[in-house]
Structure formats: C-alpha cells, structure tokens
Amino acid sequence: SNMLHRFGLLISASRIITSNPFQFNSAHAKLPSTTMTRLNATKSGARTALDEMSPDGSFKRVDAAWRNKISKEPGSMFPPEKNRYHLYVAYACPWAHRTLMTRAIKGLEDVISVTVVMPVWQKTKPDDPNDSHNGWIFADKTSGKVLKNPAGLGGPFPSSYPQNEEDPFYNAKSIREIYEMAGDKDGKYTVPILFDKWSQTIVSNESSEIIQMLNSEFDEYASCAEVDLEPEDMKEAMAAVDSWIYPSLNNGVYKCGFAHTQEAYNAAIDELTAAFDRAEDILSTQRFIAGERFTLSDIRLFVTLLRFDEVYVVYFKTNTRSVANSSVLLNYCRDIYQMDGVAETVDMHQIKEHYFCSHPDLNKFSIVPRGPDFERLLQAPHGRESFDVKRRRISKGQVSISDEDKSTLKSDVSVDSLEVV
C-alpha cells in the first residue's frame, strides 16, 4: 500500500507541467525499481549502432534497454489511457515506422500523440568539442539555420520540414536529451520511444514490444478495435516467421551495410539473399507472410522491403536481389501500402535523406542517389485479393473451388497449393 501511495503522489505531481523537465528527476527516482526494468548494457559513453561491431568485423546489434510494458492488468504501473502516452519517431527509421503503421492501422491517432524528428543526424552536444555523438534531433522552426552532415559536408539541409516538429514537452533539441532526462544509463539514443507523459519517463524503446502493446492494450480507445494484428490462433506461425525475418532481413541489411571485412559481408549477404528468396517463396502461395491474415509480422517485413531498392541495394550493398524485380514481393508491398493509413506513414524523401546523409564514414559528401521512384510503383494495382478465394468448402480433405474462382486465381497459384481449413 505504501508503494501504491507513493506512485499515486508521483502521478499527481507529474500532471503539473513544469518549465524545467529535469526538476522531475528527484521524484522519478522514488519509483520502485521494478518499474524501470532495463537490460544491463555497459555504458561506454554515447554510441550509435555503427559502434556495435564484433572483433571479426561483423555487426552485432545490442538489444534495446528500456523494456517496460503498458498493460490492462490490475495494478499495472503503465495502464492504457487516452492521451497519456507519446511516440517519438522518425519517418526514416524502419523500427519507428513499425509503430507508426500499427498506430494508424489500429486507429490510435487520437489516443497516442506523435513527434517526428528530423532525418539527418547532427551533433547532439554541439557545444562540447569532446563529445562526438551524432543522433536524432528535433526540428528548429524558428532559426532558419542551414545544416550539413555530421562531418560538416554535404547538404544543405533545412533545420525543419513541415511534417517534423520541435519537442512539445521539454524543448529538448535532441532525442538524447529525452533519454538523459529519463535517467538513461545505456547511452544508445534510438527511436522509437514510447513515452509516458504523466510520469515523464520512457516506457519502452523496443519496437517489437511497442507494436504488441499498441495492438492489444488500447482497444477501449481505438477506432479500429476489431483489427487484431496478433490473433491467438496465428501466434505460432508468426513466431516462426519472425524468428528469421528479424535476424536475416530486418537486421540482415545492416549486417551487410555495416560489415568491416569482406568475410563478414559475404556471410551476411548469403544469409540475406536466402531469406529474401524464402519470403518470396512463401508469399507466392499465400497473401501474407504468416498466413491468410495481415499481422504484425507483415509490418515487420514491409518496413524493410519498402527501403530495400531505394536504400539498401545501394547503401548497404544488398544488390543480389531487388523488390522491383520480384512480382511477388512488389505486389505484396503494394497490397500493404494501399491499406488505409499506411501510405501516410511513408516518407521516402526522409528515408533516403537519413541513410545517405547521416553516416559520413559510409557516404562522405552525403550524395543522395536519385533511385527508381519505388513509391510510385506501389500505387499500381496489386491483384493479391485473388488469394482470398483459397478458403473454400472442404469435402473429405479436398478443397471445393468453383470454375469462376479458378479463373480469378493468379497463374502462379496452383490448386494444389490451396490451404485446407
């Protein structure tokens, strides 16, 4: 009861907006330690994913450090409530894009607010000559300052775009400041951040867990509550595909792009190519990656395929394959892109500007390739509704399918492949 009393006082105090966000740290420190579950990553100063390399030259991503949960369970420290939580995201980041898509598809735009940071990384401590960290910054709507890349080259880049915002709560200049305000000890300042405005702390920065929370915990407030992106009867199939989509595709493109040795790159590109082909094979016989229904697993896959031709083929040297050259994967991407609310979460200009302009070690002068205008390709019809006719009446283990349905099937889908349900 004493713990709950202290937390009640904390929530009451946190509803008062203060001009100095750092004043809250003393009260924040009184939270029971069980509410701030973080992995024990070694703090070696501020860092980015580019610093996470193994001795053999391969890229080894470190897990997210903030892993708390929003839950409807009684007594939850972070219960679902309207207008309590906020997402800090970047259009450019595929991990953040997962959360924007889930929020849109579930109809949570009026429930969870969003701030979109600028695409090109900048110095997060520009007044400290001894701090070399580069990372996400907020828009500057007033100065009109012209920016270059972190090495002082490339550009010019504006300090603000219409769709990017200043920090609405603390006047922070960078995402790093949000982490520091919350008492972060990990030193990796990533998006997305799911932030609790009332207790003024980070709930989670792990995208795979944030999208699960958005899917399951806010149905009371969601305008599309009937949409379940992680149905109970598909969890096993989702876990099976997620087990290779993340390491071989989502993270696989980074293992190719950040490799420091030819040997590490060769291993990464082999793994990536096999996974690309595996996804293509699966999606040639069913509409979505885990089965006949759209799930969180499709969101995980889509955000990588969306960036593949425009960015990864060039920047990360993943040129053994191309989505545009795969009719199956291109139409799969079209299918998802044309779902209600998804296209509004895509900003290819900011995607390309981030990747090609934020890492001077990989692209010194921040030259942005013109590219194939992949997003334009996504506006054409996809034709994948034809997979819906696969679920038909069954008689003694055989699928009954009408001549009319057969005529609507794509030529690459055989009756033999139809799912028996």
Side-chain angles (χ1 to χ4, degrees):
S1 60
N2 184 46
M3 181 181 76
L4 293 176
H5 174 69
R6 286 159 56 195
F7 184 69
L9 293 176
L10 174 60
I11 291 298
S12 298
S14 68
R15 294 172 192 259
I16 303 173
I17 302 299
T18 64
S19 59
N20 180 2
F22 297 95
Q23 289 179 344
F24 197 75
N25 280 353
S26 60
H28 171 265
K30 296 177 183 178
L31 277 170
S33 60
T34 54
T35 70
M36 294 292 107
T37 305
R38 290 179 289 178
L39 301 181
N40 292 323
T42 301
K43 181 174 174 61
S44 57
R47 70 183 198 282
T48 71
L50 285 96
D51 300 313
E52 296 171 346
M53 305 301 299
S54 66
D56 66 0
S58 59
F59 171 62
K60 302 292 185 184
R61 187 181 297 276
V62 176
D63 288 344
W66 293 80
R67 307 289 287 271
N68 299 293
K69 301 290 180 67
I70 293 172
S71 173
K72 292 179 286 191
E73 293 296 321
S76 170
M77 287 295 184
F78 299 103
E81 297 185 54
K82 186 175 183 178
N83 296 325
R84 173 170 174 171
Y85 300 100
H86 187 78
L87 279 169
Y88 288 105
V89 300
Y91 284 129
C93 172
W95 319 105
H97 193 184
R98 293 174 170 186
T99 67
L100 282 176
M101 284 183 64
T102 308
R103 172 178 176 266
I105 292 168
K106 287 290 292 188
L108 293 170
E109 293 93 333
D110 296 329
V111 179
I112 298 172
S113 52
V114 167
T115 297
V116 183
V117 297
M118 292 295 288
V120 181
W121 282 0
Q122 299 292 320
K123 299 291 185 187
T124 57
K125 297 287 185 183
D127 298 327
D128 184 350
N130 297 316
D131 194 314
S132 61
H133 179 261
N134 304 309
W136 303 105
I137 64 165
F138 292 99
D140 178 350
K141 297 286 188 181
T142 57
S143 73
K145 186 178 180 181
V146 174
L147 304 175
K148 294 185 178 295
N149 72 19
L153 303 168
F157 310 111
S159 57
S160 174
Y161 286 120
Q163 59 270 53
N164 301 88
E165 299 100 16
E166 297 178 336
D167 176 41
F169 308 118
Y170 310 112
N171 196 34
K173 302 306 179 186
S174 70
I175 283 293
R176 178 178 181 174
E177 291 182 34
I178 301 299
Y179 276 90
E180 291 178 339
M181 182 274 293
D184 180 76
K185 296 293 187 291
D186 181 55
K188 186 180 178 185
Y189 310 119
T190 59
V191 291
I193 296 172
L194 182 59
F195 190 81
D196 181 1
K197 293 183 282 189
W198 289 5
S199 59
Q200 298 190 23
T201 194
I202 297 168
V203 178
S204 177
N205 65 347
E206 173 47 62
S207 64
S208 65
E209 295 170 3
I210 294 173
I211 61 178
Q212 290 177 317
M213 290 182 248
L214 299 185
N215 175 64
S216 64
E217 301 304 311
F218 290 90
D219 284 348
E220 179 182 353
Y221 311 103
S223 63
C224 300
E226 73 282 1
V227 175
D228 186 0
L229 300 172
E230 194 177 22
E232 192 66 35
D233 64 337
M234 292 190 69
K235 284 185 176 180
E236 185 176 347
M238 291 173 65
V241 295
D242 291 345
S243 69
W244 57 268
I245 287 174
Y246 169 74
S248 303
L249 285 170
N250 299 151
N251 199 45
V253 294
Y254 288 90
K255 290 192 287 188
C256 292
F258 292 169
H260 281 190
T261 66
Q262 188 67 48
E263 183 179 10
Y265 168 78
N266 289 344
I269 194 64
D270 286 345
E271 180 184 2
L272 176 80
T273 303
F276 189 101
D277 292 347
R278 185 177 184 179
E280 185 177 46
D281 288 344
I282 292 171
L283 291 165
S284 69
T285 61
Q286 61 191 41
R287 187 169 182 180
F288 299 112
I289 194 64
E292 299 306 321
R293 282 169 285 172
F294 180 80
T295 66
L296 294 176
S297 297
D298 294 289
I299 292 177
R300 292 167 179 253
L301 178 57
F302 174 80
V303 296
T304 294
L305 296 180
L306 175 74
R307 291 158 173 78
F308 203 89
D309 286 21
E310 291 278 14
V311 176
Y312 302 144
V313 165
V314 178
Y315 200 47
F316 286 171
K317 310 175 188 70
T318 63
N319 59 351
T320 57
R321 294 292 185 269
S322 163
V323 174
N325 289 339
S326 166
S327 60
V328 170
L329 293 183
L330 178 58
N331 283 324
Y332 170 75
C333 288
R334 286 169 170 159
D335 194 358
I336 296 173
Y337 178 84
Q338 293 169 27
M339 292 177 179
D340 289 346
V342 173
E344 290 77 13
T345 69
V346 176
D347 190 319
M348 192 62 75
H349 170 78
Q350 293 201 25
I351 289 171
K352 294 173 69 173
E353 194 167 83
H354 164 68
Y355 279 99
F356 289 108
C357 303
S358 294
H359 318 120
D361 287 350
L362 301 182
N363 190 18
K364 181 177 180 179
F365 295 103
S366 295
I367 305 301
V368 181
R370 184 167 296 170
D373 198 0
F374 183 76
E375 192 173 0
R376 177 183 58 81
L377 298 180
L378 299 183
Q379 297 166 18
H382 57 79
R384 290 182 66 83
E385 304 95 338
S386 60
F387 284 107
D388 292 341
V389 305
K390 290 196 244 177
R391 295 177 173 272
R392 296 299 170 191
R393 292 189 302 272
I394 303 168
S395 175
K396 295 183 180 180
Q398 297 298 313
V399 176
S400 174
I401 183 165
S402 69
D403 290 338
E404 179 183 358
D405 287 337
K406 288 178 183 178
S407 68
T408 64
L409 283 170
K410 295 185 134 214
S411 60
D412 61 348
V413 181
S414 69
V415 176
D416 292 338
S417 70
L418 300 183
E419 181 181 356
V420 177
V421 293

